[in-house]
Amino acid sequence: GALVMNEVNSELVENLGNKDERDLAVRNLANEVVRNSREMADEYFFQWLHILFTEHIGGLLKSNKPQDKLGGLMAIDCLLHLEYINIVNQVPWVSNQLKRCLEGNRDLDVLTAAAKTIGSLATVKESIVTESLQSFLKDSIEWLQNKEYQ
């Protein structure tokens, strides 16, 4: 029968924080998302996806380690590019997490990855994304004008 489990296999995200394993981990995660989107009933898939984003990828983004943050950002960036996967319900959460990655972060790799992910977010054709991007633009201009970062 169809999968109805909404548990996320923690192995999917464990290697995202490992620089040497990250590319493979991102591909495996993308494959799992696509597979689950096909095999799970929509209701369960969206629950599973929510848990994946908020608990697992969110845990990486909250980490103090830049490598974990990079893994979380690369995972989000990859998932934003998946065709046929509706992640619009995750956009407010993603936007909030990207904002947090930009605020007070001085790691150039993390800032670059966050900026790239914001660019990917811009490709999602939904009005909620437009609102988020307008907020990012406003915040980014304020951030760039802040003497602390100059």
Side-chain angles (χ1 to χ4, degrees), residues 77-88:
D77 188 63
C78 176
L79 297 178
L80 287 171
H81 286 99
L82 291 180
E83 288 188 52
Y84 314 117
I85 306 294
N86 184 350
I87 62 135
V88 72

Side-chain angles (χ1 to χ4, degrees), residues 28 80 91 114 129:
N28 288 342
L80 287 171
V91 167
V129 175

Side-chain angles (χ1 to χ4, degrees), residues 2 6 11 32 34 39 41 44 60 87 89 91 93 102 132 145:
N6 63 3
E11 291 176 15
E32 184 73 6
V34 170
E39 295 180 4
Y44 294 109
L60 289 170
I87 62 135
N89 294 340
V91 167
W93 181 87
L102 290 172
S132 294
Q145 291 173 338

Side-chain angles (χ1 to χ4, degrees), residues 50 53-54 57-58 61-62 69 73 76 80 87-105 114 117-118 121 128-129 131-133 135-136 139:
H50 178 75
F53 273 98
T54 59
I57 294 174
L61 296 177
K62 288 176 187 152
K69 287 186 189 301
L73 289 166
I76 291 171
L80 287 171
I87 62 135
V88 72
N89 294 340
Q90 304 303 324
V91 167
W93 181 87
V94 167
S95 298
N96 195 21
Q97 296 304 309
L98 290 172
K99 195 174 196 174
R100 284 187 180 159
C101 282
L102 290 172
E103 290 172 350
N105 197 325
T117 305
I118 292 168
L121 189 60
I128 194 166
V129 175
E131 294 166 19
S132 294
L133 293 173
S135 172
F136 274 124
D139 292 343

Side-chain angles (χ1 to χ4, degrees), residues 1-143:
L3 273 179
V4 291
M5 296 284 295
N6 63 3
E7 292 180 21
V8 175
N9 182 345
S10 60
E11 291 176 15
L12 282 174
V13 292
E14 280 175 2
N15 288 332
L16 289 170
N18 180 332
K19 187 178 181 179
D20 298 327
E21 303 285 330
R22 186 174 298 126
D23 289 340
L24 179 60
V26 168
R27 278 195 307 275
N28 288 342
L29 180 63
N31 290 337
E32 184 73 6
V33 169
V34 170
R35 186 177 69 76
N36 284 345
S37 74
R38 291 179 183 143
E39 295 180 4
M40 288 181 174
D42 285 351
E43 169 187 354
Y44 294 109
F45 173 69
F46 291 122
Q47 286 176 6
W48 180 86
L49 196 61
H50 178 75
I51 291 168
L52 172 66
F53 273 98
T54 59
E55 294 179 21
H56 295 273
I57 294 174
L60 289 170
L61 296 177
K62 288 176 187 152
S63 170
N64 292 327
K65 298 178 192 167
Q67 290 302 320
D68 286 345
K69 287 186 189 301
L70 284 172
L73 289 166
M74 289 178 73
I76 291 171
D77 188 63
C78 176
L79 297 178
L80 287 171
H81 286 99
L82 291 180
E83 288 188 52
Y84 314 117
I85 306 294
N86 184 350
I87 62 135
V88 72
N89 294 340
Q90 304 303 324
V91 167
W93 181 87
V94 167
S95 298
N96 195 21
Q97 296 304 309
L98 290 172
K99 195 174 196 174
R100 284 187 180 159
C101 282
L102 290 172
E103 290 172 350
N105 197 325
R106 297 186 181 269
D107 186 287
L108 189 58
D109 290 335
V110 172
L111 292 172
T112 302
K116 181 176 186 276
T117 305
I118 292 168
S120 295
L121 189 60
T123 66
V124 178
K125 305 284 189 263
E126 298 286 342
S127 60
I128 194 166
V129 175
T130 304
E131 294 166 19
S132 294
L133 293 173
Q134 288 171 341
S135 172
F136 274 124
L137 187 57
K138 180 180 157 289
D139 292 343
S140 297
I141 290 170
E142 288 173 11
W143 181 64

